[in-house]
Amino acid sequence: METMRIYQVAARSGVPPTTLRYYEDLGLLRPQRAPNGYRLFDDETLERLRFIDAAKQLNLPLEQIASLLSVWESDPCASVKARLRPLLGDQLEQIDAGIGELSEARHALAAAIEHLDELPDRTERCSPDCAFLATAPAPPSPPPVACSLGAGQQDRIAQWHEALADAPLHPVAGGVRIDLPIAALGDVSSLAVAEQECCPFFSFDIALRGLRFTLTITAPPEGMPMLEELIPGHTEHASPAKSKPH
């Protein structure tokens, strides 16, 4: 088996020696030691580095990459796939949340630039009423905890019960997460849209996971009784531990 010194690995992989030593400290690389103390890497090191680089491109932290590497080297491909899919799903959810925050920030910046361009040039000092910060919109008030559906509410609740029958429930902060087959996505999405129109205090998040998807429904504390009507028994799955104060 071919062995390489650290500078040779760096030249062939493009990974700096300092990073290779860091990977060794984390257990991502396991070089041997020559009698003179030099690190000796085998030819499989380059494959490991390609795996590490591909995982880093997906924003996976190095601790998770180390765990994946052990599976990748010893288990069948199906095991790697099963371990990798939920990690990628979590990353996708975080990116989606970040996109929403960036979109809001961009809107605020564009509005501030537009307002600045409209301000007249003055030789005096800026007064509070002309500062662009004074034009920042007040945060929206939370929607009232009330349902406008009226007499049709029971029909909608029955539709939810039918759509979510026998689905696994998992408690989350302020609500519940439900695991469902992808075939139910159309019906559940339509129900979520309709529910949002009549009960805007509910929040619905849908995350696709291959042939399945998760639906997360949350509500403010005063809306929990209505969520219990929508998802009967979800409070039975909740952890008895008290949530940490914010």
Side-chain angles (χ1 to χ4, degrees), residues 149-162 191 195:
L149 193 57
Q153 183 178 4
Q154 292 304 317
D155 291 339
R156 177 76 54 73
I157 290 175
Q159 293 173 7
W160 275 109
H161 291 180
E162 181 179 356
L191 282 172
E195 199 71 43

Side-chain angles (χ1 to χ4, degrees), residues 71-218:
V71 178
W72 177 63
E73 290 184 326
S74 60
D75 293 1
C77 185
S79 298
V80 179
K81 177 182 176 180
R83 182 76 67 89
L84 184 58
R85 176 172 285 280
L87 298 180
L88 297 184
D90 291 341
Q91 288 296 326
L92 185 59
E93 289 181 3
Q94 293 180 27
I95 290 173
D96 286 341
I99 289 174
E101 293 174 359
L102 286 173
S103 179
E104 293 178 2
R106 186 191 185 285
H107 177 76
L109 287 169
I113 290 174
E114 182 179 357
H115 180 65
L116 280 175
D117 291 341
E118 293 173 352
L119 290 175
D121 293 331
R122 298 172 54 182
T123 57
E124 301 88 354
R125 292 186 60 188
C126 287
S127 59
D129 59 344
C130 76
F132 77 93
L133 292 177
T135 66
S141 301
V145 179
C147 183
S148 61
L149 193 57
Q153 183 178 4
Q154 292 304 317
D155 291 339
R156 177 76 54 73
I157 290 175
Q159 293 173 7
W160 275 109
H161 291 180
E162 181 179 356
L164 305 182
D166 301 323
L169 306 179
H170 309 279
V172 298
V176 63
R177 186 179 73 246
I178 307 107
D179 182 56
L180 294 155
I182 198 69
L185 179 60
D187 291 340
V188 170
S189 297
S190 298
L191 282 172
V193 170
E195 199 71 43
Q196 193 78 82
E197 292 176 352
C198 72
C199 301
F201 61 89
F202 281 133
S203 293
F204 297 89
D205 291 299
I206 293 175
L208 303 182
R209 301 182 183 279
L211 297 179
R212 302 191 68 81
F213 71 97
T214 58
L215 169 68
T216 303
I217 309 176
T218 56

